[in-house]
Amino acid sequence: MTQPVVRALDVVDRLECDGRTLLLLEHRVVELNPLALAAYDAASEPVALDALTGTLVDRFGAPPDGDAGDLMRGVVDELLALGLVAES
């Protein structure tokens, strides 16, 4: 089975201030938590979901509960719903 590939979509602008990051889309502003922001940034070049999961586990550590792959699937689904990433 082929792994989904995730890639970040362009935003209008990005503002980082006091540890917060806001992404400006065409008609709204989105603030991401550190994990979602790291996933968005890691997908600046197309990346397979397994590789994205590995990158974030390396950065944040394994989740205390649940499967890292399942949790990353949830993060990617949220980014998809926000219009911040595409998946192929």
Side-chain angles (χ1 to χ4, degrees), residues 13-42:
D13 204 357
R14 178 178 177 141
L15 174 65
E16 297 181 33
C17 183
D18 296 329
R20 298 174 63 191
T21 301
L22 302 174
L23 300 178
L24 176 63
L25 287 79
E26 197 164 314
H27 298 287
R28 68 179 188 266
V29 175
V30 176
E31 181 177 6
L32 298 178
N33 67 39
L35 180 64
L37 181 61
Y40 174 80
D41 287 343

Side-chain angles (χ1 to χ4, degrees), residues 18-84:
D18 296 329
R20 298 174 63 191
T21 301
L22 302 174
L23 300 178
L24 176 63
L25 287 79
E26 197 164 314
H27 298 287
R28 68 179 188 266
V29 175
V30 176
E31 181 177 6
L32 298 178
N33 67 39
L35 180 64
L37 181 61
Y40 174 80
D41 287 343
S44 62
E45 296 291 326
V47 60
L49 186 58
D50 278 351
L52 181 59
T53 300
T55 296
L56 295 182
V57 166
D58 288 347
R59 180 168 177 188
F60 293 97
D65 297 315
D67 177 71
D70 291 342
L71 294 172
M72 183 51 53
R73 175 76 260 167
V75 170
V76 168
D77 286 345
E78 288 182 35
L79 293 173
L80 281 164
L82 290 169
L84 292 172

Side-chain angles (χ1 to χ4, degrees), residues 2-7 45-49 86-88:
T2 303
Q3 271 291 305
V5 173
V6 179
R7 83 177 156 77
E45 296 291 326
V47 60
L49 186 58
E87 186 176 77
S88 57

